[in-house]
Amino acid sequence: MAMTDRLGRESQKGTSPLCLPSQLAPAAYGALYLHIPFCASRCGYCDFTTEATSPGDPRLDAYVERLVRDIRSAAREGLLAQVTTVYIGGGTPSFLGSRRLVNLVYTLSLSMNLGSETEFTLEANPESLTPALVRDLYSLGVNRFSLGVQSFDDAELAALGRAHDANAARRALATIRERADNVSVDLMCGIPHQSTASWQHSLSEALRGGASHVSVYPLTIEEATPFANAIAAGHQAPPDEDVQAQMMEAAADVLGAAGLLRYEVASYAHPGFECRHNIAYWTGVPYLGLGRGAAGMRTAADGMRERLLDGEVTERLTPAEAMREDLMCGMRMSAGVLHDAVHAAEPLVPGITERFEELVALGLAASAEGRYRPTSRGWLLGNELYGRIWNC
Amino acid sequence: MTDPRHIRNFSIIAHIDHGKSTLADRVLQLTHTIADRDMVEQVLDSMDIERERGITIKSQAVRVMYDADDGQTYQFNLIDTPGHVDFTYEVSRSLAACEGAVLVVDSTQGVEAQTVANALMAMNANLEIIPLINKIDLPAADVERVRHEIEEGLAIPADDALTASGKTGAGIKELLEAILVRIPAPTGKPEAPLAALIFDSYFDPYRGVVALIRVIDGHIAANARIRFMATDVVTQVEEVGVRRPANTPVEELGVGEVGYLITGLKDPADVRVGDTVTLANGGIAQALPGYREVKPMVYTGLFPLDGDQYPDLRDALDKLQLNDPALIYEPETSHALGFGFRVGFLGLLHMEVVKERLEREFSLDLLATAPSVEYHVFLTNGKTLSIHSPQEMPDAAGIEHIEEPYLSATVIIPPDYVGAVMELSVARRGVFSTMQYLSTTTVEMKWEIPLSELIMDYFDQLKSRTKGYASLDYEFSEYRAAELVRLDILLSGKPVDALSFIVHKDKAYGTGTVLTQKLKEIIPRQLFEVPIQAAIGSRVLARTTVKARRKDVLAKCYGGDISRKRKLLEKQKAGKKRMKNIGSVEVPQEAFMAILKVDE
């Protein structure tokens, strides 16, 4: 499959998930997510399902054992037969260490087809990424690493409560690049005391280190996190939306100049290095989630889209809702959505075409070449853009 | 019928929060009117809002039987009155139904503005006053200081004061004996034609209007043909009875007795507080004194957030009015807010309570505009207009002059805060009248102040500038000429009628400047820049701008985040629903009340 097809840029023929109306989405799982809810320490902004513990915690072994059993049983039920992307995320998966991760990935290699066409991502943090870990996992089929760097400035890393410094991040990036060419770096803007210059510096460092993919996010204050408490108590300034907007625009400039394309609001990649697993999330492909706090999505026999958490169905969306969700997620990506897909949705989502035209009138979307695409203003005002689609 | 010599009619009056309702509870318990197991707190406050806020809005009458120390049983009628200045007229009618009043003073707070006002009202009604120093169980109780304030401030001998605790019940028995001994029995002419005073009324969905009455002369019984004198409505008595506190029918009510009257009348406008009931044939010619028509002091626009709720709002107002004849309303249309009502209230508390009841009991989402008063506009063509909202203000060219209502306000404070009250009241165009020390720790200041200034958060400001010590009472004084102008607020260049207000010419610039700043804080950044201007006619006094929004929350959106994202978007939509779309600008509700906050 050509990379362009995965992205759907050449997909007017209707073969890409991007222009498939939801009800035609394949019922089988196309993506597998494994969640590792452990970290060396908890960052000040984090509200993910994870907990800080020590690498010797016996619960880590038990957790991996449990995941191994879950993978085997999913395989026996035939749920992994059509999976083409695997993602081990967290938490901090690399915190498990090479031995436990090898155990997991080896089980996967026995349970499903882990060919070279399978995109297999491991999330890692610099402090727990070792040469041995990269070597072992790469040899078992992990072909993409997503490194949680956030910043190449030591003061900013300390402010975030990260467990690594800039040097560790550089070393980890170099370690991965010795084997894998598909490496993503996560960077964060709007960090307390971060300057535009240091933000540009972090972006350049990621490029210099050989990142083929960069995810950029503005710091978001989530409820009940140490950051939220500090802001409520007046010890910390809340993020400035104008500064964050400028930084997001600066990222587009720096990364664009280096030849990375912005294929999603927060994702930049050299052509061919777009994250297929994430694209699956944004295009209505069913995914299986294993592990504590892992989310899954599937189409039920009655046509409803079900979301699962820890194996329990947590929500059921009607085909119309699923369609609105796909259109909303579609507009996260630069490819946007096909006019045809919007028109096809009209019977189930009355008024949706008019709504897209309204987005164009507001400057949040552009309409050209048979597609609606988000504008850079629309990306920055994502809630407005997505909200108007979801709440149609 | 009870021999009047065995009847005592009394009210309990107090400044708000001095423990009136709890004291009434103890009286009901001690007289076995309510069994201990049925006792809830504040029995006589039947509305949720009354209990929650600890205030009394409706008057209540309850008959208790008291076994006195002399071995005989007496009929005591306790009339519980509203404790707020908004309801002064209702209180005055309740007092007119009594021979005596228990004046409750909190032993930790001392004499406050409404203590003075209530005492004066009771004296004017020729009532025997029994001062009762309450809450003596509290560690901060200072009975001697309060005795002194009662003597100095109210000119009531300090030795007359009793002490009690509504909480523990201490002193209640002594209070009941004092009521028997000190308050005179009612006198009246049993053989004379009926004269009965209506001191409150409420609406019962099955029985119609129920009036609470006090018989002055004669007697009233079922089937009698009667006449309501002010409204000149003739009808027949269906039932009379007493409240214990449940309605208990009796054959008749005689001289001095207090009870209820049911006639089957369905329109509350027929049965007015303060009116006199007499016989249809051979009744008295001259009504009892003191009746007046209730007139609203404060007006506000009430608009349903969802335009579809307009008929529901109308029905809800109709229903509330049945129990609250002081509530008046007429349809109002706003370009900005659509269809709604201009509603008149007795005061700010009344307004708050009504709005809360409309939202709570009728599930309405309402937007209230800033309160206004009734202005008298004298036109150059010789005509006079009474206007209740800024929108009704005619073109300046046609106005000869404008008059606005003034109040006589009484503020009671510790001496340290005289300066603070001075500063606030002068800023509110108040004119100082007199100052008097009630005791070394308590000062009474009197002001003439425009009602329009008082309703703009004056009381809250007064409280906060005096660390909560100030108490306030006021009554209507007169209409006075003032140089008033209408200040308009423009959003994105378009005037928003619901944000207009009337202000004194000299304050227009300052108010306009502060208000535009306040609105800038309140109105969230939108997709487009929103200029805010304050203007008189075409003359812009102040302007500012809400910058366009650059960026909103951009969070990760993988796997499970998608549900979370959607929920956030739904919440955002619900939040927007609470806002009002004016043109393309989303305006939060609090913007319409921002004018109240210009002094902060």
Side-chain angles (χ1 to χ4, degrees):
Chain A
M1 200 197 291
M3 287 300 172
T4 45
D5 278 340
R6 287 177 197 156
L7 259 189
R9 274 193 223 106
E10 305 299 328
S11 58
Q12 311 233 356
K13 293 182 295 289
T15 51
S16 148
L18 275 184
C19 57
L20 273 180
S22 338
Q23 74 268 30
L24 300 181
Y29 291 117
L32 170 65
Y33 177 76
L34 301 181
H35 192 69
I36 309 299
F38 301 104
C39 287
S41 59
R42 222 178 155 121
C43 304
Y45 55 87
C46 170
D47 77 330
F48 301 128
T49 304
T50 189
E51 60 176 298
T53 182
S54 77
D57 187 339
R59 290 182 307 151
L60 300 185
D61 295 310
Y63 188 81
V64 169
E65 273 307 306
R66 173 71 200 270
L67 264 184
V68 165
R69 284 203 299 275
D70 287 351
I71 293 166
R72 297 307 304 244
S73 101
R76 267 198 306 280
E77 290 173 46
L79 302 181
L80 306 182
Q82 299 196 42
V83 167
T84 59
T85 67
V86 180
Y87 197 106
I88 306 183
T92 312
S94 55
F95 178 70
L96 286 181
S98 181
R99 182 181 54 81
R100 297 188 187 101
L101 284 170
V102 163
N103 203 350
L104 270 186
V105 178
Y106 184 64
T107 306
L108 280 168
S109 71
L110 295 176
S111 310
M112 58 178 285
N113 175 27
L114 274 192
S116 58
E117 276 297 296
T118 309
E119 179 192 275
F120 193 145
T121 307
L122 178 82
E123 264 183 11
N125 277 354
E127 73 278 1
S128 50
L129 184 119
T130 61
L133 185 145
V134 174
R135 184 191 64 221
D136 294 349
L137 295 178
Y138 187 73
S139 66
L140 282 170
V142 173
N143 50 23
R144 185 173 183 273
F145 291 83
S146 176
L147 197 59
V149 172
Q150 313 312 345
S151 167
F152 283 96
D153 180 294
D154 284 345
E156 290 166 18
L157 289 167
L160 291 174
R162 300 291 293 181
H164 66 271
D165 59 16
N167 270 330
R170 285 185 206 103
R171 275 197 308 274
L173 195 47
T175 303
I176 296 166
R177 288 289 285 140
E178 280 174 24
R179 288 174 199 275
D181 59 353
N182 196 346
V183 54
S184 177
V185 168
D186 281 358
L187 293 175
M188 192 179 276
C189 64
I191 301 169
H193 310 300
Q194 184 181 38
S195 67
T196 308
S198 84
W199 171 237
Q200 285 170 331
H201 168 75
S202 286
L203 292 163
S204 305
E205 282 261 7
L207 295 171
R208 226 181 348 263
S212 55
H213 184 287
V214 179
S215 294
V216 292
Y217 280 98
L219 171 65
T220 308
I221 304 303
E222 304 289 353
E223 278 175 37
T225 56
F227 274 26
N229 297 338
I231 289 171
H235 301 317
Q236 186 175 323
D240 182 306
E241 73 169 72
D242 291 331
V243 169
Q244 290 192 338
Q246 274 164 22
M247 289 186 173
M248 289 298 281
E249 281 166 359
D253 294 342
V254 174
L255 298 172
L260 277 74
L261 300 178
R262 187 180 192 177
Y263 70 98
E264 191 253 355
V265 54
S267 308
Y268 295 78
H270 282 301
F273 289 90
E274 298 85 0
C275 178
R276 285 161 50 205
H277 185 83
N278 288 342
I279 290 173
Y281 287 142
W282 302 321
T283 51
V285 176
Y287 48 92
L288 175 65
L290 297 179
R292 173 149 50 88
M297 188 270 270
R298 69 185 179 201
T299 306
D302 61 1
M304 300 286 275
R305 173 177 290 182
E306 293 180 337
R307 278 238 158 54
L308 300 96
L309 189 68
D310 297 324
E312 302 280 324
V313 175
T314 52
E315 66 177 16
R316 287 169 57 80
L317 301 185
T318 64
E321 287 169 329
M323 198 165 267
R324 285 189 283 140
E325 182 178 273
D326 287 349
L327 291 172
M328 164 181 113
C329 289
M331 290 299 278
R332 290 186 72 87
M333 296 186 292
S334 58
V337 295
L338 287 170
H339 286 172
D340 289 348
V342 175
H343 295 153
E346 188 69 36
L348 269 181
V349 190
I352 188 69
T353 312
E354 203 181 319
R355 191 52 69 96
F356 269 84
E357 287 302 322
E358 178 189 305
L359 295 175
V360 173
L362 289 168
L364 299 173
S367 173
E369 296 159 5
R371 284 177 178 273
Y372 292 105
R373 299 168 193 270
T375 58
S376 108
R377 174 171 150 86
W379 262 335
L380 282 173
L381 295 168
N383 282 358
E384 200 64 48
L385 173 64
Y386 314 138
R388 284 170 191 262
I389 297 171
W390 171 250
N391 294 320
C392 180
Chain B
M1 236 194 311
T2 309
D3 181 338
R5 281 174 298 179
H6 279 79
I7 299 175
R8 296 294 181 276
N9 296 321
F10 66 98
S11 271
I12 305 182
I13 52 180
H15 190 80
I16 196 158
D17 281 342
H18 280 204
K20 182 165 66 74
S21 295
T22 309
L23 200 75
D25 288 351
R26 292 295 88 76
V27 170
L28 298 189
Q29 255 179 326
L30 199 78
T31 54
H32 311 292
T33 310
I34 292 188
D36 288 348
R37 67 185 145 80
D38 295 330
M39 197 67 204
V40 291
E41 287 199 4
Q42 295 173 238
V43 175
L44 298 184
D45 291 339
S46 51
M47 274 189 256
D48 286 348
I49 292 180
E50 292 183 313
R51 288 216 178 110
E52 276 167 31
R53 294 190 170 206
I55 53 173
T56 305
I57 299 164
K58 294 290 283 182
S59 295
Q60 268 283 15
V62 60
R63 176 178 291 190
V64 305
M65 301 311 289
Y66 174 56
D67 298 322
D69 288 351
D70 65 9
Q72 301 194 49
T73 299
Y74 292 85
Q75 178 198 117
F76 278 12
N77 293 301
L78 188 173
I79 297 174
D80 192 25
T81 58
H84 192 274
V85 57
D86 283 2
F87 307 103
T88 302
Y89 173 68
E90 284 73 4
V91 177
S92 78
R93 294 306 83 205
S94 292
L95 294 183
C98 300
E99 278 74 32
V102 178
L103 177 68
V104 181
V105 186
D106 186 322
S107 62
T108 66
Q109 304 291 323
V111 168
E112 299 198 58
Q114 278 153 255
T115 317
V116 179
N118 284 323
L120 285 176
M121 240 191 302
M123 288 171 191
N124 288 338
N126 286 320
L127 301 194
E128 176 68 30
I129 296 176
I130 302 177
L132 182 84
I133 302 173
N134 191 26
K135 304 193 188 177
I136 55 166
D137 57 302
L138 293 181
D142 188 350
V143 173
E144 284 319 305
R145 174 177 77 97
V146 177
R147 269 187 209 282
H148 184 67
E149 287 184 3
I150 288 171
E151 184 151 326
E152 288 292 307
L154 309 176
I156 298 171
D159 291 344
D160 286 1
L162 304 178
T163 60
S165 163
K167 194 169 155 212
T168 65
I172 305 299
K173 171 74 187 165
E174 291 75 7
L175 171 65
L176 291 172
E177 274 301 310
I179 288 168
L180 173 61
V181 175
R182 282 154 67 171
I183 294 178
T187 54
K189 302 187 276 293
E191 305 310 325
L194 171 69
L197 171 72
I198 300 175
F199 60 89
D200 206 353
S201 74
Y202 65 94
F203 188 80
D204 180 307
Y206 302 105
R207 311 295 307 266
V209 184
V210 181
L212 300 183
I213 58 168
R214 151 75 196 265
V215 178
I216 307 292
D217 291 323
H219 65 273
I220 184 168
N223 298 322
R225 298 281 299 167
I226 55 166
R227 186 160 71 92
F228 295 97
M229 295 181 73
T231 53
D232 201 24
V233 171
V234 173
T235 183
Q236 185 161 338
V237 177
E238 259 181 29
E239 180 179 310
V240 288
V242 298
R243 297 163 66 79
R244 309 192 38 106
N247 282 2
T248 311
V250 296
E251 271 179 30
E252 61 177 356
L253 294 171
V255 167
E257 286 193 298
V258 170
Y260 66 85
L261 160 66
I262 295 172
T263 58
L265 286 176
K266 300 291 184 205
D267 185 355
D270 291 339
V271 184
R272 305 246 176 107
V273 171
D275 195 4
T276 304
V277 186
T278 190
L279 296 173
N281 299 311
I284 56 172
Q286 186 73 39
L288 297 166
Y291 171 76
R292 65 176 164 89
E293 288 205 26
V294 180
K295 219 170 152 354
M297 299 270 272
V298 179
Y299 297 82
T300 187
L302 286 182
F303 294 85
L305 270 183
D306 172 359
D308 293 346
Q309 284 194 334
Y310 176 78
D312 301 336
L313 173 58
R314 189 190 52 220
D315 291 349
L317 283 167
D318 285 345
K319 288 205 178 90
L320 279 193
Q321 197 188 35
L322 290 175
N323 264 321
D324 190 354
L327 182 68
I328 65 147
Y329 50 91
E330 57 187 32
E332 179 174 62
T333 311
S334 153
H335 291 299
L337 304 178
F339 293 108
F341 291 92
R342 174 100 332 211
V343 187
F345 304 94
L346 296 174
L348 289 178
L349 178 78
H350 189 214
M351 178 175 99
E352 268 179 53
V353 165
V354 168
K355 177 164 185 266
E356 198 172 321
R357 291 187 66 193
L358 287 169
E359 298 203 294
R360 195 194 291 206
E361 295 171 27
F362 299 91
S363 306
L364 296 167
D365 278 329
L366 296 179
L367 195 153
T369 58
S372 171
V373 302
E374 178 175 316
Y375 295 97
H376 292 167
V377 183
F378 296 82
L379 302 175
T380 47
N381 65 10
K383 288 187 180 148
T384 306
L385 295 177
S386 287
I387 65 166
H388 302 135
S389 86
Q391 290 95 297
E392 294 171 329
M393 182 69 86
D395 190 57
I399 298 176
E400 205 266 313
H401 77 282
I402 304 172
E403 291 183 359
E404 64 174 334
Y406 266 68
L407 301 175
S408 299
T410 304
V411 178
I412 294 186
I413 36 161
D416 288 355
Y417 298 107
V418 166
V421 174
M422 204 53 106
E423 191 184 19
L424 173 67
S425 304
V426 168
R428 298 309 190 86
R429 299 192 282 130
V431 179
F432 175 76
S433 311
T434 60
M435 185 163 95
Q436 180 199 350
Y437 274 76
L438 300 182
S439 69
T440 52
T441 54
T442 314
V443 178
E444 178 190 80
M445 295 176 90
K446 287 192 182 289
W447 291 85
E448 292 286 304
I449 189 166
L451 173 60
S452 64
E453 297 279 350
L454 188 113
I455 61 177
M456 293 298 171
D457 213 31
Y458 176 83
F459 186 53
D460 285 349
Q461 285 292 317
L462 184 68
K463 278 282 190 193
S464 76
R465 291 175 190 215
T466 59
K467 298 208 166 66
Y469 280 113
S471 58
L472 171 72
D473 190 73
Y474 51 81
E475 60 182 356
F476 173 74
S477 162
E478 61 178 348
Y479 268 83
R480 291 190 189 179
E483 298 231 36
L484 300 170
V485 291
R486 187 178 80 195
L487 193 64
D488 293 322
I489 298 295
L490 293 80
L491 297 181
S492 297
K494 296 197 183 69
V496 179
D497 56 5
L499 287 173
S500 296
F501 58 97
I502 292 168
V503 63
H504 192 271
K505 195 168 107 285
D506 296 345
K507 295 177 80 175
Y509 177 77
T511 309
T513 306
V514 179
L515 183 63
T516 49
Q517 284 303 324
K518 284 274 169 203
L519 288 171
K520 183 183 174 179
E521 287 163 27
I522 292 168
I523 296 173
R525 293 170 72 172
Q526 323 247 326
L527 287 179
F528 304 98
E529 183 177 282
V530 180
I532 304 173
Q533 295 163 302
I536 298 173
S538 57
R539 189 161 58 94
V540 174
L541 300 183
R543 72 176 80 219
T544 182
T545 303
V546 180
K547 284 190 290 179
R549 197 163 79 231
R550 290 284 315 273
K551 169 195 157 291
D552 53 30
V553 183
L554 172 62
K556 298 197 176 201
C557 199
Y558 311 123
D561 304 329
I562 296 175
S563 313
R564 211 161 79 143
K565 181 80 181 174
R566 278 198 344 257
K567 283 181 186 124
L568 189 122
L569 294 172
E570 278 162 15
K571 222 164 114 187
Q572 172 182 301
K573 185 188 177 189
K576 283 189 179 188
K577 251 187 122 171
R578 298 288 301 170
M579 294 204 236
K580 202 75 200 175
N581 272 312
I582 295 178
S584 57
V585 185
E586 285 164 352
V587 182
Q589 293 183 53
E590 52 177 317
F592 298 94
M593 287 290 170
I595 179 67
L596 298 185
K597 304 292 177 196
V598 291
D599 270 359
E600 276 174 11

